[in-house]
Amino acid sequence: MPNPTDTDSPAIQGDIRLDSSVKSTMYYIGGVPVHFPFVPYPSQLGMMNHMIRALNKAQNTMIESPTGSGKSLALLCATLAWRQSFVVRQRKMQENVRQIITRFCMHNTMLLRSRYGSNGTDADPDKKPDAMETDAWEKPDILSNNYSFVTLQARAQTLQSETVDFILDTSKKQTLVGLSKDDLATLGEYQDAGKSATQRPRIFFGTRTHKQVAQLVNELRSKTPYRLRTAVLGSRAQTCTHPKAKRAESVDDTCRQLRDDNNCGAYTGFRRVLGSKKLAEGGELEIWDLEDIVSVARPLVACSYYASRELAATAKLVFCPYNYILDPAVRKAVGIELEGNIVILDEAHNIENAARDAGSFEVSDLQLASLAHECSGMFDHGILRNEHLVLKSLADTLAAWLQRDGAAFEYCDYETQTSVWPKPECSVDTLLTDLALTPDYISQVKSAQAKIEDYIASLRTQSNEHGPEDPELLPRDKHVSAGALRVVEGLLRVLKHVAHGSKFATDFRIAVVRHPNPELRTSQKRKRQSVFESKPAFINTLSFWTMNPGVVFSEIAEQTRSIVLTSGTLSPLDSYASELQVDFASTLEANHVIAPSRFCALAVECGPSGVRLEAKYRTSDQLEFQDDVGEAIRAIAARSPDGMLVFMPSYALLNKLIARWEATGRLAEIRSHKTVFVEPQGGTKDQFDKLLLSYRKHLSEPNETGAVMFGVFRGKVSEGIDFSDHFCRTVVNIGIPFPAFKDVKVMLKREYNNEHTMLLNGSKWYDIQAFRAVNQALGRCLRHKDDWGAIIMLEARFVQNANIARLSKWVRGHMRVFGRFENAKQYLDAFYDERISEDAKDMPQVLDAEENVTIVLDE
């Protein structure tokens, strides 16, 4: 372990402060002083060392570290410590360069004058200096023909990069007086560093949800001594305080309309938040989350959404959901600049799918009709008639093509029909030509969009100048909506990629998807404004699906200094580099901080009756299989203490097994040991939160024997929820959750990968999606070093070494394989007995268990 140093040592010079009130110890890791709140776990030391090495080399890296291993804290401390050290090194280098230039000027006056004097042929008096020491340009004699030595030296220092290039070029032709080989080496290092010699890298830390962002902010604020300007980017739904917008079906659209109509006093006063002492350096909310900035903004009648965006523009560390970084449109809208900066993407196990979604675009015929309707209104009012006519023509053309009669669909299921291009008889280029989407026409659309956006910006400027009381500014009939412009922007983005000659032209599939109008299914749903007098029976959607996540991710990689992908369950790691088209120079698979004696991992080939447990499509319909799985679940539930999670590949199998067990009485037997909860398919977030609260409340009450939650891989229960301690002592996995084989996007992706040899073939890609979902479910238990639990794979395919190798490192190294359920049950019982006995030693008293209560949950 690195040698610790007390934090009372002299503060490191840099632009990040250390809060002495937060207890920490300094460790030198990879040559960088890292302040950490406690003695790091070995896995944390490994992560920090790995992270610092990657940042030093400006490389991309992947880090898999199990949940509960202190991953977030290690990443934050390592990244901030590295940045602090990097800034110190930058400043030292810049000071050394200034001293070398000074010596050059003193000993090489004629060369200095030839470069920057009145007779210098290379001098460019119109060239602007770097950002440093621009006051030298204000000296009166800088514009004269007779430069003083002081002025020449000031100019040489001001144009530092140019001077370094001149010195190094001259040194190749002649010996420079006053400069040593070490001096020239220092200048060479400065020249090689380029922009990174002066740019202070900013850190963009993205994770999957706003809740996880809040957890990161709390880790930084409460556990680390690092203090710096931070910001959090969030949605309007979380930050808007306007009563009308909060009640609206779409907070985003209502917010934009209130802003454009100049009816939001909070928006016009959002800059009042920027002057808050609480948010200032050293303030009590210097490191803030969304709730904090809302609490500051509300009494000021100011907008926390736009204030947070303004603060993010200058923050050294920005937290946000990672779609803000991945999606080019969102990234542009919130002002995220990635050039030379560091991107950390936590919970990145779904990053490939998220990047594909960010690169894709879909628009319905209803949205196109709405766009045409708005543009027609602008035309009638005489506002930029030519420009709005171009957009209306685009919308009308696409909508008419989507709604055409006699369209052929090659993919059909129960409700949805899909047609995909390119086809053998029609290429994408031919389709675009048929739709008159020529390069010239697309240029016209782009020009029209730009002029309309400039016009709206000018209206907004006038609104700000006249103040909120002017009722004539930005009336609704003076401009198209932000939603309409987003449709145009999205179309232009994907049309640029699919156009002939684009390097991504073959990476997209264009599809028309027709499905029943969901508004006609029930009269209980809210009515929505429509340009149609009656609602259509079908919705037609024009889809541009990218098969290549590198369309958006390679652009991010080209701009950033380093990208760090991290998650508790990145495995299998095979596909990330090829799919994202990014070179990951290093990877780390960390061990769990939990002692091996505190968890067990079992794979079982056959059930209690000897039936082979293989949850494939054909075998899952066999009653023998269904009954043996049910008996295995009952036997495990009878011995497992506290909470228990059971995951299945699909809702279809889950519902099938529950129905069978209900009919045979097996479910009643399970209920005699544990209260049963079932994750419903679909439903709202509030409904799921209520279900989860009932599960947790049940397990928190005394004298309960426990509860079991049945869910599905990739469902809400399996993603991002903490089931620590008694909330989950056992995870049971049934089957392998391969993506739906006949899903159109899945079929297209498999075909695409088979056509591109630099990618994993379609079958390997398909397999990896399944095992990532398994690994994610396994991480629901064992959430900290003192936790304990069992992982049971009721699936015969997991007795194969090839499949075990695809599990996360912390699982595969401890997996025990059993051919018979009885043998596995004996081993499991012994594990439970040992752990329960250990827990009993720490309990002040043992309570008698009462009869368990069964809660029946309707979907």
Side-chain angles (χ1 to χ4, degrees):
M1 178 178 292
N3 293 326
T5 305
D6 292 338
T7 54
D8 293 334
S9 59
I12 302 173
Q13 294 180 355
D15 55 3
I16 298 177
R17 295 177 296 105
L18 296 173
D19 186 348
S20 59
S21 68
V22 179
K23 185 177 179 181
S24 66
T25 303
M26 188 174 75
Y27 299 86
Y28 277 96
I29 303 175
V32 172
V34 180
H35 293 259
F36 208 72
F38 50 79
V39 177
Y41 303 137
S43 61
Q44 288 177 315
L45 285 173
M47 277 187 281
M48 290 190 283
N49 184 54
H50 186 88
M51 185 86 167
I52 288 169
R53 285 191 309 171
L55 295 177
N56 274 333
K57 297 177 181 178
Q59 294 176 337
N60 305 317
T61 188
M62 290 187 286
I63 300 175
E64 181 185 64
S65 183
T67 303
S69 59
K71 167 172 55 71
S72 299
L73 187 61
L75 293 177
L76 285 169
C77 289
T79 307
L80 295 178
W82 174 86
R83 187 189 183 281
Q84 183 81 320
S85 176
F86 181 77
V87 170
V88 170
R89 294 198 305 271
Q90 276 184 326
R91 290 178 172 174
K92 287 181 178 178
M93 175 182 284
Q94 289 169 352
E95 179 58 31
N96 289 338
V97 169
R98 279 193 286 269
Q99 292 177 7
I100 293 170
I101 291 176
T102 298
R103 289 199 297 275
F104 167 79
C105 293
M106 292 177 62
H107 295 284
N108 301 273
T109 308
M110 294 303 295
L111 285 173
L112 176 66
R113 191 169 296 280
S114 71
R115 179 65 181 177
Y116 296 121
S118 57
N119 297 322
T121 56
D122 293 333
D124 182 3
D126 295 326
K127 183 173 181 178
K128 293 300 182 184
D130 295 337
M132 302 175 297
E133 304 182 21
T134 54
D135 60 327
W137 281 81
E138 304 302 323
K139 295 180 181 294
D141 62 350
I142 199 71
L143 299 177
S144 70
N145 291 325
N146 298 312
Y147 294 95
S148 69
F149 173 79
V150 173
T151 299
L152 290 171
Q153 179 173 305
R155 189 171 189 184
Q157 294 285 8
T158 301
L159 302 173
Q160 192 173 78
S161 296
E162 182 181 317
T163 303
V164 168
D165 293 342
F166 174 67
I167 294 173
L168 290 173
D169 289 343
T170 305
S171 70
K172 298 174 183 177
K173 305 170 186 176
Q174 66 183 80
T175 301
L176 298 176
V177 181
L179 299 188
S180 66
K181 290 183 179 180
D182 288 342
D183 290 337
L184 295 177
T186 298
L187 296 183
E189 183 182 349
Y190 177 88
Q191 186 184 60
D192 292 341
K195 289 183 179 180
S196 66
T198 55
Q199 181 182 355
R200 308 287 188 256
R202 301 173 67 206
I203 302 160
F204 292 92
F205 203 128
T207 189
R208 200 167 58 88
T209 65
H210 287 294
K211 182 178 180 181
Q212 289 163 337
V213 167
Q215 292 170 348
L216 286 169
V217 171
N218 185 59
E219 289 265 289
L220 175 63
R221 180 166 51 190
S222 63
K223 295 183 180 180
T224 83
Y226 293 102
R227 295 295 177 263
L228 70 163
R229 180 179 289 276
T230 65
V232 178
L233 291 171
S235 66
R236 287 177 172 86
Q238 291 190 301
T239 54
C240 181
T241 56
H242 195 288
K244 182 178 180 180
K246 292 293 287 184
R247 293 194 302 268
E249 184 174 349
S250 172
V251 177
D252 285 352
D253 290 343
T254 306
C255 166
R256 293 187 181 98
Q257 192 64 61
L258 289 167
R259 180 197 65 186
D260 289 350
D261 290 348
N262 214 27
N263 285 331
C264 182
Y267 168 71
T268 59
F270 77 85
R271 288 183 175 83
R272 288 192 288 266
V273 177
L274 309 184
S276 170
K277 292 182 179 179
K278 291 183 178 180
L279 301 176
E281 181 176 316
E284 60 183 284
L285 295 178
E286 179 182 10
I287 299 173
W288 50 269
D289 63 16
L290 293 181
E291 290 184 358
D292 294 325
I293 198 168
V294 169
S295 69
V296 171
R298 184 177 281 113
L300 299 175
V301 193
C303 177
S304 52
Y305 174 75
Y306 283 99
S308 65
R309 284 174 52 171
E310 191 81 6
L311 290 169
T314 57
K316 299 180 180 72
L317 171 59
V318 178
F319 297 101
C320 60
Y322 58 54
N323 69 296
Y324 283 48
I325 299 171
L326 294 178
D327 192 311
V330 176
R331 194 165 68 238
K332 177 183 175 182
V334 299
I336 292 178
E337 298 289 344
L338 298 179
E339 186 69 38
N341 293 322
I342 297 164
V343 169
I344 303 172
L345 300 176
D346 196 11
E347 299 297 326
H349 48 277
N350 287 328
I351 205 70
E352 292 176 17
N353 294 334
R356 275 199 304 276
D357 290 344
S360 301
F361 180 73
E362 296 183 344
V363 59
S364 71
D365 51 0
L366 294 183
Q367 290 173 297
L368 291 168
S370 179
L371 169 62
H373 179 74
E374 290 189 39
C375 290
S376 180
M378 296 301 103
F379 182 89
D380 293 341
H381 283 82
I383 300 172
L384 296 178
R385 301 186 74 180
N386 289 338
E387 286 73 17
H388 285 105
L389 188 60
V390 169
L391 300 192
K392 180 180 184 300
S393 173
L394 172 68
D396 285 339
T397 298
L398 294 178
W401 180 70
L402 286 173
Q403 296 166 355
R404 70 195 186 283
D405 295 329
F409 297 93
E410 57 265 34
Y411 301 99
C412 301
D413 61 21
Y414 177 66
E415 289 189 328
T416 305
Q417 299 169 296
T418 306
S419 186
V420 179
W421 285 262
K423 303 177 186 292
E425 71 278 9
C426 183
S427 67
V428 169
D429 287 342
T430 301
L431 174 64
L432 296 179
T433 301
D434 291 344
L435 293 172
L437 295 175
T438 63
D440 288 343
Y441 182 69
I442 293 174
S443 295
Q444 291 180 41
V445 174
K446 188 174 182 180
S447 176
Q449 178 213 26
K451 290 180 180 179
I452 292 171
E453 287 183 340
D454 289 344
Y455 163 74
I456 295 175
S458 68
L459 289 181
R460 191 167 293 126
T461 300
Q462 295 174 29
S463 172
N464 292 336
E465 290 174 352
H466 288 76
E469 296 183 359
D470 191 334
E472 297 301 318
L473 296 175
L474 289 182
R476 294 181 181 222
D477 60 353
K478 292 293 184 183
H479 67 93
V480 295
S481 67
L485 288 177
R486 286 199 301 275
V487 169
V488 178
E489 182 180 358
L491 283 170
L492 285 173
R493 176 169 57 83
V494 292
L495 287 173
K496 175 186 70 174
H497 290 316
V498 301
H500 181 73
S502 166
K503 68 176 181 178
F504 296 123
T506 61
D507 296 328
F508 279 81
R509 300 292 180 265
I510 300 177
V512 174
V513 182
R514 179 170 294 176
H515 59 84
N517 189 341
E519 291 194 2
L520 300 180
R521 292 180 179 178
T522 171
S523 60
Q524 299 300 318
K525 292 190 175 181
R526 293 182 177 180
K527 293 182 179 180
R528 177 168 62 84
Q529 287 185 348
S530 173
V531 297
F532 299 104
E533 293 182 1
S534 60
K535 293 182 175 62
F538 292 93
I539 303 294
N540 301 282
T541 301
L542 175 60
S543 302
F544 297 82
W545 295 327
T546 178
M547 302 291 103
N548 176 13
V551 170
V552 297
F553 209 86
S554 60
E555 179 185 352
I556 295 172
E558 289 170 1
Q559 297 179 48
T560 54
R561 176 186 175 90
S562 294
I563 295 176
V564 180
L565 298 188
T566 179
S567 177
T569 52
L570 282 177
S571 294
L573 303 177
D574 308 33
S575 69
Y576 287 103
S578 61
E579 285 288 322
L580 300 177
Q581 296 185 4
V582 173
D583 177 30
F584 290 96
S586 60
T587 60
L588 173 68
E589 293 181 87
N591 292 314
H592 214 303
V593 296
I594 295 176
S597 62
R598 299 189 67 82
F599 75 94
C600 72
L602 314 177
V604 185
E605 184 174 9
C606 297
S609 299
V611 175
R612 182 174 170 82
L613 300 177
E614 198 169 20
K616 292 184 175 180
Y617 179 75
R618 294 178 180 177
T619 56
S620 62
D621 280 335
Q622 297 173 2
L623 298 182
E624 296 85 354
F625 168 82
Q626 297 176 11
D627 292 342
D628 230 22
V629 170
E631 173 56 23
I633 295 294
R634 183 209 63 77
I636 296 170
R639 291 291 287 117
S640 172
D642 304 319
M644 175 174 161
L645 302 177
V646 180
F647 293 107
M648 302 188 191
S650 66
Y651 285 105
L653 179 59
L654 172 59
N655 295 334
K656 186 185 301 181
L657 292 181
I658 292 291
R660 172 64 179 176
W661 299 342
E662 187 80 64
T664 61
R666 188 73 71 206
L667 189 61
E669 295 176 6
I670 295 173
R671 283 177 175 149
S672 69
H673 302 293
K674 299 214 177 283
T675 301
V676 172
F677 295 80
V678 179
E679 177 185 1
Q681 185 173 4
T684 65
K685 180 180 182 299
D686 289 342
Q687 289 171 334
F688 176 74
D689 289 345
K690 185 177 179 180
L691 172 70
L692 188 60
L693 180 63
S694 297
Y695 174 83
R696 292 185 184 278
K697 183 178 179 182
H698 187 75
L699 288 168
S700 298
E701 294 174 354
N703 304 322
E704 293 290 352
T705 56
V708 56
M709 173 83 79
F710 289 93
V712 299
F713 297 103
R714 302 187 188 90
K716 293 185 178 68
V717 175
S718 69
E719 292 269 351
I721 297 178
D722 184 351
F723 291 98
S724 60
D725 299 317
H726 63 286
F727 291 121
C728 179
R729 293 300 186 195
T730 305
V731 172
V732 179
N733 288 346
I734 298 171
I736 301 178
F738 292 103
F741 191 80
K742 293 187 177 181
D743 180 89
V744 175
K745 288 185 181 181
V746 172
M747 289 191 290
L748 293 174
K749 176 61 178 170
R750 293 185 65 172
E751 292 172 2
Y752 172 85
N753 277 42
N754 286 334
E755 294 167 0
H756 293 75
T757 56
M758 72 284 197
L759 301 176
L760 294 179
N761 67 47
S763 295
K764 288 184 178 179
W765 172 85
Y766 184 73
D767 291 349
I768 281 175
Q769 308 312 303
F771 286 93
R772 285 213 184 112
V774 170
N775 286 323
Q776 184 64 13
L778 297 183
R780 293 316 91 210
C781 69
L782 304 175
R783 308 291 290 188
H784 57 84
K785 71 179 183 68
D786 296 321
D787 207 348
W788 66 268
I791 292 169
I792 306 163
M793 317 296 281
L794 293 182
E795 170 57 55
R797 285 169 285 181
F798 277 108
V799 305
Q800 302 169 13
N801 290 333
N803 289 332
I804 294 175
R806 293 173 173 178
L807 299 176
S808 294
K809 178 182 177 181
W810 66 273
V811 178
R812 65 176 179 258
H814 301 278
M815 182 65 72
R816 291 177 177 268
V817 174
F818 294 89
R820 299 174 57 193
F821 180 80
E822 291 79 3
N823 296 338
K825 181 68 166 49
Q826 291 175 8
Y827 182 86
L828 186 63
D829 289 348
F831 171 77
Y832 286 143
D833 289 340
E834 180 182 356
R835 298 285 15 120
I836 293 171
S837 175
E838 289 293 325
D839 280 358
K841 295 177 182 178
D842 299 327
M843 293 178 62
Q845 87 181 82
V846 178
L847 300 175
D848 293 331
E850 296 179 353
E851 183 180 355
N852 195 38
V853 178
T854 298
I855 298 176
V856 179
L857 291 167
D858 295 327
E859 292 188 6

